[in-house]
Structure formats: C-alpha cells, structure tokens
Amino acid sequence: MEKAVLDALNDQIRLELSSGYVYLSMSAQFESESLEGFSRWMRLQAQEELAHAMRLFDYVNRRGGRVTLEGIDAPATEFGRPLKAFQTALDHERKVTASIHSLFQLAGEHRDLATQREMDWFVTEQVEEEENAQRAVDLLSRAGDNDAALLMLDREFGRRITEGD
Ligand SMILES: [Fe+2]
Ligand SMILES: [Fe+2]
C-alpha cells in the first residue's frame, strides 16, 4: 500500500476511536442525569465506532500495512441538553463523512481500488450515521422544553438493541 493511503487509513482509525470517546463521554453525562435511554444509545454508538476502527485495523493488516496508533484528545465532559449533544454528534458525523470521502478520493488518485472498495462500505455507513443523528435532532427539536416529551424520547432511544442499529 502506498504511504499516503496508509497514513490516511491510520488517521481514520484514530478518528473512529476518538468518535467513540466523544460518544462514551456523552453516555457518561446522560447516565449522570438518569437519562438512561440516551445513555444506552450513546454507549452502543461508542461501541459501533470501535467496530469501525477495528474494521480498518483489520483491513490495513490484511493489506500488509502497519497500523500505528497515536494519541486521542480528551473529549468534552459537558454537552448541554440532549438536543445540543445530538447536534454536536451530527456535526461530528459530518466531519467523519468528509474524511471518508477524501480517503476514497485519495485511494482513487493512487489507483488503490481495494481501498476504494473498503471505503465504499464506510460511505454507505455514513449515510446511516448522519440519518440517525439528524432524526434525533429533529425529534428533540420538536420536544423542545417539554420534559414529558423528552422522557418519552429517552425511553424510545433506550430501545436501541445493538451497536449495528
Ligand atoms: Fe464511525
Ligand atoms: Fe451505524
């Protein structure tokens, strides 16, 4: 694999792990507020991010590349009300999408078709990630300052079953 592509893949591994760290921190905040549904949803999302990182980890290894891990910045500890937290999550996912798209493009420039194929999965996955975050933002906007509606959504989000959802 070419170095530029390998470096970008290693950067992407770090971005996925740092995404997981942000969502786990959101989960901790919700847990402390007894919003157990949102906490559970974010905890599963953090696990999904770890799975994304591992998918790339395995891919780099299968291609004979060397995974190199670097530091992950500390996440924020306070994200505000659930609407604000999910807005932050949506903004974050948009950044991840941009990063995936540029990796796909870079792989194309280096005629690395295998990496493009691998990134193809992530391109599709990002559509889902943005859709999920957008839906949460829409529903929480609608709930506004109504605590009963917020608690209902907390319950709904708590029904998320697996990290793949
Ligand atoms: Fe991800
Ligand atoms: Fe997903």
Side-chain angles (χ1 to χ4, degrees), residues 12 16 19 45 48-49 52 93 96 122 125-126 129:
Q12 191 64 37
E16 299 293 345
S19 301
Q45 191 58 34
E48 183 172 319
E49 298 308 336
H52 292 167
E93 285 306 321
V96 173
F122 282 90
E125 171 63 16
Q126 282 311 116
E129 299 291 58

Side-chain angles (χ1 to χ4, degrees), residues 13 16-17 48-59:
I13 290 173
E16 299 293 345
L17 290 171
E48 183 172 319
E49 298 308 336
L50 177 60
H52 292 167
M54 294 316 296
R55 191 181 172 105
L56 292 165
F57 181 97
D58 291 339
Y59 173 71

Side-chain angles (χ1 to χ4, degrees), residues 6-23:
L6 176 62
D7 287 350
L9 284 164
N10 273 315
D11 283 346
Q12 191 64 37
I13 290 173
R14 191 175 67 238
L15 183 58
E16 299 293 345
L17 290 171
S18 79
S19 301
Y21 219 27
V22 169
Y23 298 143

